Amino acid sequence: MTELWWKSAVVYQIYPRSFADADGDGMGDLQGIIDHLDHLAELGVDVIWLSPIHKSPQDDNGYDISDYQDIDPLFGDLATFDALMKGVHQRGMKLIMDLVVNHSSDEHAWFQESRSSKDNPKRDWYWWRPARDGMEPGTPGAEPTNWGAAFGGPAWAYDEKTGEYYLHLFSPKQPDLNWENPEVRQAVYAMMNWWLDRGVDGFRMDVINMISKVLPLADGRLTAGQAYADGSAGYINGPRNHEFLHEMYEQVFAGREDMLTVGEMPGVTVDEAILFTDQERQEVDMVFQFDHVWADRGGDPWRVFPLQLTVLKGIFGRWQAGLAEEGWNSLYWNNHDQPRVVSRYGDDSPEFRSASAKMLGTVLHLHRGTPYVYQGEELGMTNYPFRSITDFRDIEALGQFRQATEIEGRAPEDVLTVLRARGRDNARTPMQWDDSPNGGFSSTTPWLAVNPNYREINATAERANPDSVFHYYRQLIKLRHDEPAVVDGDFTMLLPNDERLYAFTRRLASTELLVIGNFTGETVRAEIDGWEESELLLNNLPEAPDGLTMAPWQAVVLRRTR
Ligand code: NOJ
């Protein structure tokens, strides 16, 4: 049996600005979360992860923090936060916070000091560099390296006051903190200890595999047709990443019990993830890898490729095998940066939305690892029907649209096609609570439009219908809590070359589970022998399956003992 509690836990992510608006300003808030805690308790999740609620100019919806130890007035105050934490703990759940320390806001006092003069004691808390040799500071191409920023434009901003540039891997309002400086690290650890002392149960760590940069900072590879280079070799999983995370563990988590830490790590490899999550090394408990959500991306960022199921299976198979002995997987389809999975890898038409949402949930939750449910996923919420670029609010979508159409000369309609499929605002439309105006999210026009399908797809309707996605997710979560093979069983992928069925077994001692998911709208027979005498634990359709013949989008979980 496992001793690490989070191996049998399910985490629920809340994106506070889109969850529930209690004070009627069109923006979700902490009181709104408090008002809906029973929804989460009924779902049965063990942990709630809150996307950032700290004080912030909201340039990147709170991933730009100007005070790490205060709550943004948009969301409430520290007293409301404490009440929320109490409500979560009273219901037997835990609460983890987002930790955004690769960068701060440019409005953080640390950066204000840092930019004030070259000899300010905090100058070195951020990455300041002069213009490229022989170039006029502030002119195009004079940036210290050729890296592009994630939201478009160069990764360096020129600051006239001191005539130097600062690094920002994301927006210019998100300057990167210099983790080489031990004072920065101590300040971050002190802040983390302050939250844990207050009662929170851990952290989800934003882009935490970007905190160690390769020195000296150097140009990246420039691809034809792109305005700026991909600098990721200079900052993904840099040379001191493991050292920094181990130091953080020692100074923050050592001696504390029942914490949960998960590091967001775009571009992390299986081999690196083993090191990051091996408990003996004392770094983090698990990481968010990206391979399976980049499976429809191909080499060209401006094309959407249809999902190839064999590719997806190859990815999960590699991660399951890689972290089988040491380390631990996180499991997710959705978060605030990803389109809705039922629209992406399922079928969100009225006929198959519910079945395919449940099938996707089944396949994910039955893997070995800790599943994460993103708000609305338990309702089968779908992508939003964006008409034009003016429907988007996300800094990434707007920045990338500008760069692609104005600088790189791409056709706006082609860029929109990709943003519709992949844009982050798909995940950020307000939570659909009921069929009243604004989906019961707010009494006024929300900051981002509610998906017009809220009249059919909403929490009230889902809770009233025993066959809903919501009640099916409850069963999935309960199965993880009740059946040790779901938590600890080993994993074997079946039918790796099949483009239609996703099938695998989990085995623990004498118990074996068989999971099959049909990723198509057609009836498909699974050629798997020996399960005639098994017990049907879960089935996402009203009618029982005919042997191992799977109806469109059907999923089953079978159990046998030997
Ligand atoms: C990852 C976060 O999930 C995303 O929303 C944010 O824009 C970037 N990191 C920058 O903080």
Side-chain angles (χ1 to χ4, degrees):
M1 273 299 284
T2 182
E3 279 159 22
L4 293 163
W5 67 272
W6 36 259
K7 290 193 172 179
S8 55
V10 177
V11 184
Y12 186 94
Q13 182 193 354
I14 292 183
Y15 193 63
R17 63 164 43 219
S18 301
F19 193 65
D21 171 20
D23 66 359
D25 63 355
M27 179 83 67
D29 45 46
L30 296 182
Q31 187 58 50
I33 302 174
I34 294 175
D35 296 345
H36 288 91
L37 283 179
D38 287 337
H39 173 82
L40 306 179
E42 192 184 337
L43 186 58
V45 296
D46 306 276
V47 183
I48 296 173
W49 147 32
L50 283 189
S51 274
I53 49 168
H54 315 79
K55 201 148 196 277
S56 160
Q58 303 290 324
D59 188 53
D60 183 20
N61 293 357
Y63 281 90
D64 50 316
I65 296 176
S66 55
D67 186 344
Y68 287 105
Q69 290 173 218
D70 205 353
I71 306 292
D72 196 275
L74 278 175
F75 300 122
D77 53 23
L78 280 166
T80 320
F81 174 80
D82 289 338
L84 167 60
M85 191 162 56
K86 196 166 161 211
V88 171
H89 288 157
Q90 273 169 350
R91 287 168 179 79
M93 299 183 283
K94 294 181 188 290
L95 185 67
I96 68 170
M97 304 284 284
D98 225 297
L99 178 78
V100 189
V101 289
N102 171 69
H103 44 268
S104 72
S105 162
D106 66 334
E107 296 182 34
H108 195 292
W110 297 343
F111 188 73
Q112 296 293 314
E113 280 189 53
S114 183
R115 84 182 332 173
S116 67
S117 76
K118 282 191 188 170
D119 52 16
N120 183 278
K122 290 207 169 55
R123 182 65 169 182
D124 186 46
W125 282 41
Y126 294 84
W127 293 95
W128 291 99
R129 290 287 186 275
R132 190 177 285 269
D133 264 356
M135 303 270 307
E136 182 64 29
T139 59
E143 293 84 12
T145 69
N146 61 358
W147 303 353
F151 303 149
W156 295 92
Y158 180 60
D159 204 38
E160 274 187 358
K161 174 106 203 267
T162 53
E164 287 191 330
Y165 291 81
Y166 65 86
L167 177 68
H168 60 86
L169 296 180
F170 295 89
S171 105
K173 288 187 65 62
Q174 293 167 296
D176 279 54
L177 281 158
N178 177 10
W179 277 69
E180 297 291 322
N181 185 328
E183 289 175 19
V184 168
R185 306 202 299 272
Q186 288 308 319
V188 168
Y189 305 151
M191 173 272 283
M192 294 172 73
N193 277 310
W194 182 87
W195 281 106
L196 296 178
D197 291 344
R198 203 172 186 95
V200 311
D201 304 293
F203 295 98
R204 171 270 185 188
M205 304 174 182
D206 193 66
V207 290
I208 205 70
N209 65 335
M210 300 191 186
I211 58 178
S212 164
K213 273 68 172 171
V214 178
L215 298 175
L217 305 182
D219 279 346
R221 207 165 44 88
L222 203 54
T223 316
Q226 289 187 346
Y228 300 98
D230 170 9
S232 57
Y235 54 78
I236 294 278
N237 192 26
R240 300 185 71 187
N241 212 159
H242 292 289
E243 175 198 335
F244 291 159
L245 286 177
H246 179 65
E247 180 185 81
M248 175 192 283
Y249 177 90
E250 287 190 313
Q251 301 214 18
V252 179
F253 300 107
R256 296 189 190 263
E257 283 180 8
D258 294 348
M259 296 283 113
L260 168 60
T261 57
V262 48
E264 187 208 23
M265 300 198 177
V268 68
T269 61
V270 173
D271 288 344
E272 278 302 329
I274 295 171
L275 300 179
F276 281 119
T277 65
D278 176 358
Q279 285 291 308
E280 303 261 297
R281 293 174 53 92
Q282 303 182 317
E283 295 183 23
V284 292
D285 295 328
M286 56 191 105
V287 305
F288 288 135
Q289 57 86 15
F290 281 64
D291 292 346
H292 65 302
V293 292
W294 287 346
D296 57 0
R297 220 159 71 151
D300 181 348
W302 293 111
R303 279 185 62 192
V304 180
F305 295 84
L307 174 69
Q308 246 184 290
L309 191 60
T310 48
V311 170
L312 190 70
K313 289 194 272 194
I315 292 168
F316 274 115
R318 239 172 354 95
W319 279 91
Q320 291 285 303
L323 274 64
E325 304 296 332
E326 278 93 39
W328 189 250
N329 273 292
S330 74
L331 304 168
Y332 73 96
W333 288 128
N334 277 114
N335 59 43
H336 63 291
D337 295 331
Q338 299 298 330
R340 294 284 179 179
V341 72
V342 65
S343 304
R344 185 183 211 177
Y345 294 159
D347 179 342
D348 63 8
S349 69
E351 189 182 3
F352 292 130
R353 181 191 65 87
S354 173
S356 66
K358 293 173 189 168
M359 185 282 291
L360 288 161
T362 312
V363 166
L364 188 81
H365 282 239
L366 268 293
H367 278 80
R368 189 160 184 271
T370 299
Y372 287 70
V373 179
Y374 176 68
Q375 67 183 43
E377 182 182 336
E378 79 281 21
L379 312 177
M381 276 176 62
T382 66
N383 279 355
Y384 182 89
F386 295 102
R387 280 152 311 180
S388 76
I389 190 67
T390 57
D391 287 342
F392 290 86
R393 296 288 171 275
D394 177 21
I395 183 172
E396 177 180 84
L398 301 175
Q400 291 183 345
F401 184 81
R402 208 173 311 119
Q403 178 164 316
T405 56
E406 290 172 20
I407 302 175
E408 295 169 359
R410 294 174 194 271
E413 205 36 58
D414 293 350
V415 176
L416 265 179
T417 303
V418 175
L419 291 179
R420 278 189 196 108
R422 280 210 281 267
R424 307 194 297 182
D425 278 342
N426 281 305
R428 300 175 179 188
T429 62
M431 184 74 175
Q432 296 165 204
W433 290 108
D434 58 38
D435 62 2
S436 69
N438 307 316
F441 164 75
S442 173
S443 57
T444 188
T445 307
W447 71 275
L448 177 67
V450 180
N451 194 311
N453 62 22
Y454 73 87
R455 287 184 199 81
E456 293 81 45
I457 304 171
N458 61 67
T460 305
E462 288 278 315
R463 292 159 69 113
N465 172 7
D467 288 331
S468 66
V469 179
F470 177 78
H471 289 294
Y472 190 81
Y473 263 70
R474 290 181 63 208
Q475 293 183 57
L476 278 177
I477 294 166
K478 188 167 180 315
L479 185 61
R480 173 164 293 267
H481 291 155
D482 294 350
E483 173 53 70
V486 176
V487 179
D488 288 314
D490 62 15
F491 177 97
T492 306
M493 186 71 84
L494 305 178
L495 314 175
N497 300 320
D498 192 313
E499 284 297 353
R500 300 180 296 175
L501 297 180
Y502 197 123
F504 54 92
T505 56
R506 302 290 313 280
R507 185 166 40 192
L508 183 68
S510 57
T511 303
E512 195 173 12
L513 307 177
L514 170 65
V515 182
I516 311 175
N518 182 354
F519 269 69
T520 76
E522 291 146 33
T523 300
V524 189
R525 204 183 111 71
E527 304 294 345
I528 302 169
D529 296 328
W531 288 83
E532 293 76 16
E533 301 301 309
S534 57
E535 173 194 356
L536 181 64
L537 284 186
L538 264 185
N539 166 25
N540 70 335
L541 298 184
E543 56 288 348
D546 167 15
L548 294 189
T549 299
M550 298 288 107
W553 299 103
Q554 185 158 33
V556 293
V557 181
L558 305 175
R559 178 169 59 195
R560 71 179 180 192
T561 323
R562 36 177 190 185

